[in-house]
Amino acid sequence: MHFPSLPSGETAFAQCVASTPEAHAATVLLVEDEAPLRTTVRRMLERRGYMVPECRHGGDALPVWREHGEHIDGVVSDVRMPELGGRELVAVLCAQRPTLPVVLMSGCSDQDVVVGGMSQSEVVAKPFSGDVLLAAIHRVLGPAGGGEGR
């Protein structure tokens, strides 16, 4: 399963869904403005069977969510990004699906990272290991990676 790098989030998501087999652990929307980290996280998750559409920031993620949100099992997002940050993005998404599993990645030592009202959320401090991120994703999505929000 491979999601191509996104020229635009919505276009790439549609291409990936059309070309990816149905059997997968879960679809996790990855939102990260740092390209090397976004690529590393995407590849790590894909190796574990996740479908991973990726977006550069919350502004890119909103159209993907509007068009394909019913196919997205969870979100992994950076907190601070240009155009629309992770906190704001997650607030919009959780207003539409309160049980959406979310993992926020933060380089801040700030304890106010978590958005109020999120029932299934984790915060991972940057820098993090792949094991730490995967454990957080498994805690919010469940061991099989099946989202509850669909």
Side-chain angles (χ1 to χ4, degrees):
M1 286 179 241
H2 183 271
F3 280 91
S5 297
L6 296 185
S8 84
E10 191 169 349
T11 302
F13 187 89
Q15 291 170 350
C16 293
V17 168
S19 66
T20 305
E22 290 297 315
H24 64 279
T27 299
V28 176
L29 177 62
L30 174 61
V31 189
E32 168 61 57
D33 60 319
E34 296 178 33
L37 179 57
R38 187 174 62 242
T39 299
T40 299
V41 170
R42 177 184 47 81
R43 287 179 179 162
M44 177 190 66
L45 293 175
E46 287 176 341
R47 280 193 302 268
R48 276 136 184 109
Y50 290 95
M51 292 178 50
V52 188
E54 57 184 281
C55 297
R56 295 172 304 201
H57 50 70
D60 281 351
L62 286 176
V64 172
W65 176 261
R66 279 193 296 272
E67 186 70 24
H68 306 285
E70 71 274 7
H71 302 292
I72 296 172
D73 298 301
V75 175
V76 174
S77 178
D78 189 10
V79 172
R80 294 188 182 197
M81 296 176 288
E83 292 196 36
L84 183 65
R87 259 187 291 227
E88 296 83 7
L89 170 66
V90 168
V92 170
L93 302 184
C94 287
Q96 296 172 24
R97 191 190 310 164
T99 60
L100 179 68
V102 174
V103 175
L104 291 173
M105 304 176 292
S106 177
C108 307
S109 59
D110 212 358
Q111 292 300 321
D112 294 327
V113 171
V114 178
V115 178
M118 290 185 348
S119 62
Q120 296 176 283
S121 66
E122 289 277 332
V123 178
V124 176
K126 290 179 182 179
F128 51 81
S129 69
D131 289 340
V132 167
L133 181 61
L134 284 169
I137 292 169
H138 289 166
R139 283 191 296 272
V140 299
L141 284 175
E148 292 181 23
R150 278 203 232 187

Short mmCIF file of all heavy atoms in Angstrom, two decimals, residues 94 98-99 114-120:
data_model
loop_
_atom_site.label_atom_id
_atom_site.label_comp_id
_atom_site.label_asym_id
_atom_site.label_seq_id
_atom_site.Cartn_x
_atom_site.Cartn_y
_atom_site.Cartn_z
N CYS A 94 -13.33 17.27 15.31
CA CYS A 94 -14.03 16.66 16.46
C CYS A 94 -15.41 17.27 16.68
O CYS A 94 -16.26 16.63 17.29
CB CYS A 94 -13.17 16.75 17.71
SG CYS A 94 -11.78 15.60 17.66
N PRO A 98 -17.13 13.67 17.29
CA PRO A 98 -16.54 13.78 18.63
C PRO A 98 -15.68 12.60 19.06
O PRO A 98 -14.79 12.75 19.89
CB PRO A 98 -17.75 13.93 19.55
CG PRO A 98 -18.84 14.44 18.67
CD PRO A 98 -18.58 13.85 17.31
N THR A 99 -15.90 11.42 18.51
CA THR A 99 -15.13 10.24 18.91
C THR A 99 -13.92 9.99 18.00
O THR A 99 -13.31 8.93 18.07
CB THR A 99 -16.02 8.99 18.91
OG1 THR A 99 -16.54 8.78 17.60
CG2 THR A 99 -17.15 9.11 19.93
N VAL A 114 -3.67 19.61 24.43
CA VAL A 114 -4.88 18.82 24.18
C VAL A 114 -6.08 19.74 24.01
O VAL A 114 -6.26 20.68 24.76
CB VAL A 114 -5.13 17.82 25.33
CG1 VAL A 114 -6.41 17.05 25.10
CG2 VAL A 114 -3.95 16.86 25.44
N VAL A 115 -6.86 19.44 23.01
CA VAL A 115 -8.08 20.19 22.74
C VAL A 115 -9.18 19.64 23.63
O VAL A 115 -9.36 18.43 23.71
CB VAL A 115 -8.48 20.04 21.26
CG1 VAL A 115 -9.77 20.77 20.97
CG2 VAL A 115 -7.37 20.53 20.35
N GLY A 116 -9.89 20.52 24.31
CA GLY A 116 -10.97 20.08 25.18
C GLY A 116 -12.03 19.33 24.41
O GLY A 116 -12.31 19.63 23.26
N GLY A 117 -12.61 18.32 25.04
CA GLY A 117 -13.72 17.59 24.44
C GLY A 117 -13.32 16.42 23.58
O GLY A 117 -14.17 15.73 23.04
N MET A 118 -12.01 16.18 23.41
CA MET A 118 -11.60 15.03 22.60
C MET A 118 -11.61 13.79 23.47
O MET A 118 -10.92 13.72 24.48
CB MET A 118 -10.19 15.25 22.03
CG MET A 118 -10.16 16.31 20.97
SD MET A 118 -8.55 16.54 20.15
CE MET A 118 -7.37 15.67 21.08
N SER A 119 -12.41 12.81 23.09
CA SER A 119 -12.53 11.62 23.92
C SER A 119 -11.42 10.60 23.68
O SER A 119 -11.08 9.84 24.56
CB SER A 119 -13.90 10.96 23.70
OG SER A 119 -14.02 10.56 22.36
N GLN A 120 -10.86 10.57 22.48
CA GLN A 120 -9.81 9.61 22.15
C GLN A 120 -8.61 10.39 21.62
O GLN A 120 -8.51 10.64 20.43
CB GLN A 120 -10.29 8.63 21.08
CG GLN A 120 -11.43 7.76 21.53
CD GLN A 120 -11.89 6.89 20.38
OE1 GLN A 120 -12.58 7.34 19.49
NE2 GLN A 120 -11.51 5.62 20.42
#
